[in-house]
């Protein structure tokens, strides 16, 4: 404590205070360089007379510990007027302005201290020949360095950097030889002063994470020389100093251009702990914003980024940094002492934005009303990142859910950058919390130490709607649809989402449309509504989104299109087409925007004069959400659809389609899909068919209640037979009935065939379903013996049949 107080007293001594002038005979004349003295008794003060003239600047360095006593020094002139404090002398900034000769008063830091001490005097207003030149090095492995040892009475050193021998920005590195003795805590300080006396250059010491290796960035004036003062301990220590140019002209710096987001990284060898590497990254324009990152197996490689002038663009760190304002950046990498040493590292330098905006390779999201995604992909050495531009606004809050889809534990790290390059995602693991601003850049990056990861990423708006648009609904089209079909409704508006619903009311029971897709800009929503059992009439349309409900007019449901085609001839259900087996058409899925044409006239008893056919069409194993249109061959296909489905879904629908050229055609909109067509009958104008008689929809069969058939599920390969003639006004002479058949509570994936009683069942199916699914379909089936039969292929299932009408001659 006494030592500390002595130091503080010396530092606080006013430079203008007058002291009693020491007598000349009490002062010892010294020369510039090292002086060794000794205190014989406690409390002594020694006077050392300097050879330095008025106007000179000097440094007086003392030991920071070890064998030599710690002392304090103060400069005075011949009259005792204070010139400089101990701290000014230690920094080499002591300007002698009084009356010569000038003296330095030396006091033991501890009043009880006796023994040897030393003071190192150095002129700093001129470069001293006794100070070793610190040569300029490069980022090559053989960078020039100077080793300075202490101990045996030596505790300080000086170095010089001549004018014209340095750049305007340099990186100084000091490696400290950590001693074996642990009783004396290691200490040293490094001061730099120019020859003009204008004070030290602007320097910044970078925290490196290692206790024996330090980096300092300094900005030098081109025409000035500099003196470096190393003040240490009188103890066995080593100090190794080197310096390197870090401007755009830095030697030994490997040059490469900034890349697009996700481009392969530059690979570098780590060397040893503390080894410095340099990569010069060039940008096309100073307005480009780059994202720079180093990755390695241990997340140990640090980087320091300087701009073209050597200014600090990014302080030393081991995580990503964004920079702008220069066309050249020097990225200095290092694995600090005491950090795990990887064999190599990878450097990403992506151009994430230009003056025109975010990088063109980044996906432009149309809306973030409910978030962004989900998106899936794989990051690897060939594709190291992915990005998207989001139309967010300030105040948006997102939850970033990132998962690995390949069974691994490593997931991409998300970032949500502002235009100023600030990452507003926080958290150490998924889910992350991210804040939106006016147009954010969403970036996913390959994590440290990982060669490959497959991912699923989604930003969920936790304060929906996000972005600048509020929920609104404009129009719902079409305004008419036919009963007996599954209609696709299109909703136009803003901030629409997959949780938006379209409801139809005004009939026997409300109908809810299933939302199947929303456009990227959240302005167009498509939903399918099952009208196969819906009676004709006007249905009220309501669109519900978040906490808003919008009444949007009516949907007029028209009767099924069975009149005007002649009369109907039911036939035993027969399979005419199966793309899985090449039945009726080539063996292949129907691709995107693909069409297949089926010959129907002349098959299964369908005559050449048939005007239309009734087909049960089934879509199975689709690779994407799509729709199928069935239309007369040789005619222009309209926008009408007959089946709408999602990826992987199997769904049937009854279709009545005119026959042209003896054929019908099948069009698939997106992805690829297998199609199956089973014929139930045809229409003819030769008068040999039956006419249709609609009746009030009535339930004829329900195996759950024992209505029409025994109360029990229909088991595997089981059949139930329903009496239809003589019930609900259906006459004995009915040739066919129109039934809405529903399968519910199935225990396994299966299909149901509805066929004329007393005939041999064919391979035709009317309903296809998975375990637990409830699904209806409209069926037109011939009546034989006044009955129809229902066959279930696998598992067990409840069946329901509602009659809508019948055919009679």
């Amino acid at each position: 404590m006494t030592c500390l107080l002595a130091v503080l007293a010396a530092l606080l001594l006013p430079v203008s205070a007058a002291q009693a002038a020491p007598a000349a005979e009490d002062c010892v004349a010294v020369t510039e360089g090292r002086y060794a003295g000794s205190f014989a008794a406690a409390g002594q003060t020694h006077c050392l007379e300097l050879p330095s003239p008025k106007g000179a600047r000097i440094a007086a360095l003392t030991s920071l510990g070890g064998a030599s006593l710690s002392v304090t020094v103060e400069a005075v002139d011949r009259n005792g007027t204070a010139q400089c404090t101990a701290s000014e002398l230690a920094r080499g900034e002591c300007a002698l302005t009084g009356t010569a000769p000038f003296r330095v008063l030396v006091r033991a830091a501890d009043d009880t201290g006796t023994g040897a001490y030393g003071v190192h005097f150095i002129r700093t207003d001129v470069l001293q020949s006794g100070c070793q030149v610190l040569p300029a090095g490069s980022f090559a492995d053989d960078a020039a360095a100077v080793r300075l040892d202490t101990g045996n009475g030596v505790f300080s050193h000086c170095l010089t950097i001549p004018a014209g021998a340095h750049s305007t920005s340099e990186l100084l590195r000091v490696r400290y030889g950590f001693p074996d003795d642990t009783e004396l805590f290691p200490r040293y300080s490094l001061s730099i002063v120019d020859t003009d006396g204008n004070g030290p250059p602007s320097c910044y010491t970078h925290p490196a994470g290692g206790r024996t290796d330090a980096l300092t960035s300094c900005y030098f004036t081109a025409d000035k020389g500099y003196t470096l003062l190393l003040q240490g301990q009188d103890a066995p220590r080593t100090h190794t100093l080197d310096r390197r140019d870090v401007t755009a002209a830095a030697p030994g710096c490997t040059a490469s251009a900034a890349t697009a987001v996700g481009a392969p990284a530059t690979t570098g060898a780590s060397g040893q702990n503390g080894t410095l590497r340099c990569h010069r990254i060039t940008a096309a324009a100073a307005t480009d914003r780059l994202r720079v990152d180093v990755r390695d197996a241990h997340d140990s490689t640090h980087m320091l980024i300087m701009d073209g002038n050597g200014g600090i663009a990014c302080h030393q760190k081991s995580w990503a940094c964004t920079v702008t304002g220069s066309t050249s950046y020097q990225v200095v990498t290092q694995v600090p002492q005491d950090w795990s040493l990887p064999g190599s590292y990878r450097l990403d330098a992506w151009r994430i934005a230009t003056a025109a905006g975010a990088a063109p390779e980044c996906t432009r999201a149309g809306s973030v009303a409910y978030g962004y995604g989900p998106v899936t992909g794989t990051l690897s050495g060939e594709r190291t990142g992915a990005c998207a531009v989001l139309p967010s606004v300030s105040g948006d809050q997102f939850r970033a859910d990132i998962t690995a889809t390949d069974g691994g534990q490593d997931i991409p790290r998300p970032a949500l950058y502002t235009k100023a390059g600030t990452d507003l995602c926080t958290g150490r693991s998924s889910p992350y919390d991210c804040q939106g601003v006016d147009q954010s850049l969403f970036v996913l990056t390959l994590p440290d130490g990982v060669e490959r990861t497959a991912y699923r990423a989604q930003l969920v708006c936790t304060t929906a709607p996000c972005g600048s648009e509020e929920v609104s609904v404009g129009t719902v089209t079409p305004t008419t649809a036919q009963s007996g079909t599954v209609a696709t409704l299109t909703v136009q508006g803003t901030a629409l989402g997959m949780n938006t619903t379209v409801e139809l009311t005004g009939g026997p029971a409300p109908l809810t449309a299933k939302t199947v897709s929303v456009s990227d800009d959240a302005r167009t929503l498509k939903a399918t509504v099952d009208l196969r059992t819906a009676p004709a009439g006007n249905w009220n349309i309501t669109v519900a989104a978040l906490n808003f409900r919008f009444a949007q007019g009516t949907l007029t449901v028209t009767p099924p299109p069975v009149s005007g085609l002649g009369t109907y001839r039911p036939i035993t259900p027969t399979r005419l087409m199966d793309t899985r087996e090449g039945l009726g058409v080539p063996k292949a899925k129907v691709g995107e925007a693909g069409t297949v044409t089926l010959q129907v006239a002349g098959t299964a008893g369908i005559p050449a004069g048939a005007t239309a056919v009734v087909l049960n069409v089934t879509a199975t194993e689709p690779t994407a959400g799509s729709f199928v249109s069935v239309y007369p061959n040789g005619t222009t296909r309209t926008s009408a659809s007959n089946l709408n489905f999602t990826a992987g879904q199997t769904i049937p629908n009854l279709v009545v389609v005119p026959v042209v050229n003896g054929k019908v055609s099948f069009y698939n909109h997106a992805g690829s899909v297998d199609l199956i067509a089973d014929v139930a009958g045809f229409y003819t104008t030769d008068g040999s068919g039956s006419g249709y008689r609609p009746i009030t929809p009535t339930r004829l069969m329900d195996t759950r209640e024992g209505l029409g058939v025994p109360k029990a599920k229909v088991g595997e390969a089981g059949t139930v037979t329903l009496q239809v003639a003589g019930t609900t006004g259906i006459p004995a002479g009915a040739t066919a009935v129109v039934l809405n058949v529903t399968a519910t509570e199935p225990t396994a994936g299966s299909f149901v065939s509805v066929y004329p009683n007393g005939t041999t069942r064919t391979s035709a199916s009317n309903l296809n379903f998975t375990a637990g699914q409830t699904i209806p379909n409209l069926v037109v089936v011939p009546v034989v013996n006044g009955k129809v039969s229902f066959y279930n292929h696998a598992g067990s299932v409840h069946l329901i049949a509602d009659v809508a009408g019948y055919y009679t001659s």
Side-chain angles (χ1 to χ4, degrees):
M1 181 63 71
T2 303
C3 175
L4 177 60
L5 291 176
V7 172
L8 290 175
L11 294 176
L12 295 174
L13 186 67
V15 297
S16 61
Q19 306 292 318
E25 61 270 17
D26 295 330
C27 296
V28 177
V30 298
T31 61
E32 293 171 356
R34 292 188 178 92
Y35 170 80
S38 179
F39 288 117
Q44 284 187 314
T45 297
H46 285 181
C47 175
L48 306 180
E49 187 167 293
L50 301 173
S52 309
K54 181 178 180 177
R57 276 187 297 112
I58 64 167
L61 308 180
T62 61
S63 176
L64 299 178
S68 295
L69 287 179
S70 294
V71 297
T72 59
V73 291
E74 172 197 0
V76 298
D77 68 1
R78 66 174 297 169
N79 300 319
T81 303
Q83 298 292 289
C84 306
T85 64
S87 60
E88 291 171 324
L89 287 164
R91 296 194 303 268
E93 299 174 2
C94 177
L96 302 177
T97 59
T99 304
F102 299 96
R103 287 100 182 237
V104 169
L105 305 181
V106 183
R107 301 181 182 89
D110 185 345
D111 288 342
T112 62
T114 60
Y117 69 87
V119 183
H120 189 180
F121 296 103
I122 305 164
R123 283 277 298 272
T124 59
D125 54 323
V126 290
L127 297 185
Q128 300 298 305
S129 59
C131 297
Q132 186 175 353
V133 173
L134 178 60
S138 75
F139 285 98
D141 290 335
D142 58 350
V146 171
R147 172 173 169 165
L148 305 175
D149 295 322
T150 58
N152 295 322
V154 176
F155 50 81
S156 60
H157 290 276
C158 62
L159 297 167
T160 62
I161 303 176
H166 56 78
S167 71
T168 55
S169 179
E170 304 224 346
L171 185 65
L172 298 169
R173 179 187 180 196
V174 181
R175 284 166 283 173
Y176 188 87
F178 200 80
D180 293 333
D181 61 280
T182 57
E183 294 183 359
L184 179 64
F185 188 82
R187 292 179 60 194
Y188 77 88
S189 67
L190 182 67
S191 300
I192 305 176
V193 61
D194 65 29
T195 54
D196 290 347
N198 295 325
S202 176
C203 294
Y204 179 83
T205 298
H206 302 275
R211 56 181 177 172
T212 62
D213 201 332
L215 297 177
T216 300
S217 300
C218 288
Y219 305 101
F220 295 121
T221 303
D223 57 349
K224 291 184 180 180
Y226 293 87
T227 299
L228 282 68
L229 304 173
L230 178 71
Q231 183 180 18
Q233 298 166 312
D234 185 1
R237 305 283 189 265
T238 61
H239 310 76
T240 304
L241 282 71
D242 57 61
R243 64 183 177 95
R244 295 171 172 86
D245 182 1
V246 286
T247 67
C253 212
T254 304
S256 59
T259 68
V261 176
T266 299
T267 301
S270 299
Q272 301 299 316
N273 283 92
T275 300
L276 296 177
R277 303 286 193 227
C278 180
H279 299 264
R280 180 177 300 110
I281 307 299
T282 57
T287 51
D288 289 353
R289 179 170 292 280
L290 309 186
R291 178 193 179 276
V292 184
D293 190 20
V294 285
R295 298 179 285 111
D296 63 61
H298 304 303
D299 193 19
S300 297
T301 305
H302 288 53
M303 66 177 180
L304 169 64
I305 306 178
M306 319 298 288
D307 62 23
N309 295 322
I312 300 174
C314 183
H315 293 282
Q316 190 172 19
K317 57 181 63 177
S318 61
W319 58 89
C321 182
T322 64
V323 294
T324 190
S326 181
T327 57
S328 173
Y329 300 93
Q330 289 64 252
V331 182
V332 180
T333 62
Q334 180 193 53
V335 179
Q337 297 291 337
D338 305 324
W339 286 65
S340 297
L341 181 67
S344 62
Y345 60 90
R346 291 178 174 85
L347 174 67
D348 298 313
W350 299 339
R351 182 192 62 252
I352 61 174
T354 66
E361 64 269 19
C362 297
T363 302
R364 265 59 180 174
S367 171
V368 289
Y370 300 90
Y372 173 69
V375 292
T376 59
T378 299
L379 299 184
S380 65
E382 295 302 315
R383 183 175 182 262
T384 56
C387 58
V389 182
L390 309 183
S392 58
V393 296
S394 180
D396 287 348
Q397 299 288 331
F398 298 100
R399 184 185 72 247
D401 295 323
I402 318 291
T403 57
T405 58
D406 55 4
Q409 299 297 316
D410 298 296
I411 59 174
R413 165 76 192 190
L416 201 60
Y417 286 114
T418 67
K419 291 180 179 178
T422 303
D423 179 13
L424 295 183
C425 281
T426 60
R428 293 182 176 272
S429 60
S430 180
Y432 298 86
D433 293 322
C434 302
Q435 298 182 38
V437 293
D438 182 18
Q439 192 178 84
S440 303
L441 180 64
F442 181 50
V443 175
L444 292 171
T445 58
L446 192 65
D448 282 81
V450 177
E451 297 295 330
R452 183 183 183 88
T453 180
Y455 66 88
R456 179 186 186 274
Q458 183 173 18
L459 287 178
V460 178
C461 174
T462 58
T463 56
C466 290
S468 60
E469 292 185 331
E470 299 294 335
V471 177
S472 68
V473 174
T475 61
V476 180
T477 55
T479 57
T480 61
Q482 291 177 339
S483 178
T485 66
V486 176
T488 298
L489 304 178
T490 300
V491 181
Q492 301 289 345
T494 56
L496 304 174
M498 288 298 293
N499 58 352
T500 301
T501 59
V502 182
E503 302 169 356
L504 302 181
T505 57
L511 299 176
T512 300
K514 179 182 179 182
T515 300
V516 295
S517 67
V518 177
S519 62
D520 181 61
D521 60 4
R523 295 189 174 194
T524 303
L525 177 148
K526 290 188 179 296
T528 58
V529 59
D530 191 343
L531 301 177
R532 286 176 289 186
T533 60
N538 292 326
W539 295 70
N540 298 318
I541 302 174
T542 301
V543 179
L546 296 178
N547 297 321
F548 304 95
R549 296 179 66 84
F550 303 87
Q552 288 304 118
T554 59
L555 175 68
T556 300
V557 178
T558 59
V562 294
S563 60
L565 297 174
T567 53
Y568 180 68
R569 289 277 301 274
I571 60 176
T572 300
T574 305
R575 182 149 296 175
L576 297 185
M577 180 180 77
D578 191 335
T579 62
R580 301 172 302 178
E581 301 176 1
L583 176 62
V585 293
K587 181 180 179 180
K589 283 188 173 185
V590 184
E592 181 173 346
T595 301
V596 293
T597 298
L598 174 66
Q599 177 73 40
V600 293
T603 62
I606 302 172
T611 57
V613 287
V614 178
L615 302 173
N616 190 69
V617 180
T618 301
T620 187
E621 298 181 3
T623 61
S626 180
F627 66 85
V628 164
S629 295
V630 187
Y631 62 100
N633 171 251
T635 65
T636 300
R637 179 180 59 82
T638 67
S639 60
S641 64
N642 300 93
L643 289 93
N644 295 75
F645 44 83
T646 58
Q649 184 181 20
T650 296
I651 186 170
N653 195 19
L654 193 71
V655 176
V656 179
V657 57
V659 176
V660 175
N661 303 321
K663 304 172 185 178
V664 294
S665 297
F666 301 76
Y667 167 84
N668 173 44
H669 175 65
S672 60
V673 63
D674 277 312
L675 296 178
I676 305 165
D678 303 319
V679 65
F682 61 90
Y683 285 85
T684 178
T685 56
D686 63 4
S688 63
S690 303
Y692 178 67
R693 294 289 298 275
I695 61 176
T696 301
T698 304
R699 183 150 294 176
L700 297 184
M701 181 182 76
D702 192 336
T703 62
R704 302 172 301 179
E705 301 175 3
L707 176 63
V709 294
K711 182 180 180 180
K713 281 187 172 182
V714 183
E716 182 172 345
T719 301
V720 293
T721 298
L722 175 66
Q723 177 72 40
V724 293
T727 62
T728 63
I730 301 174
T735 57
V737 287
V738 179
L739 301 174
N740 189 68
V741 181
T742 302
T744 188
E745 300 177 23
T747 61
S750 179
F751 67 84
V752 165
S753 295
V754 186
Y755 62 99
N757 173 250
T759 66
T760 300
R761 179 181 59 83
T762 67
S763 61
S765 65
N766 299 92
L767 289 94
N768 296 72
F769 46 84
T770 57
Q773 184 181 19
T774 296
I775 187 169
N777 195 18
L778 198 66
V779 176
V780 179
V781 57
V783 177
V784 175
N785 303 321
K787 305 172 183 177
V788 294
S789 295
F790 302 76
Y791 166 83
N792 173 44
H793 176 65
S796 61
V797 64
H798 278 303
L799 297 177
I800 304 164
D802 302 320
V803 64
Y806 61 91
Y807 289 86
T808 177
S809 57

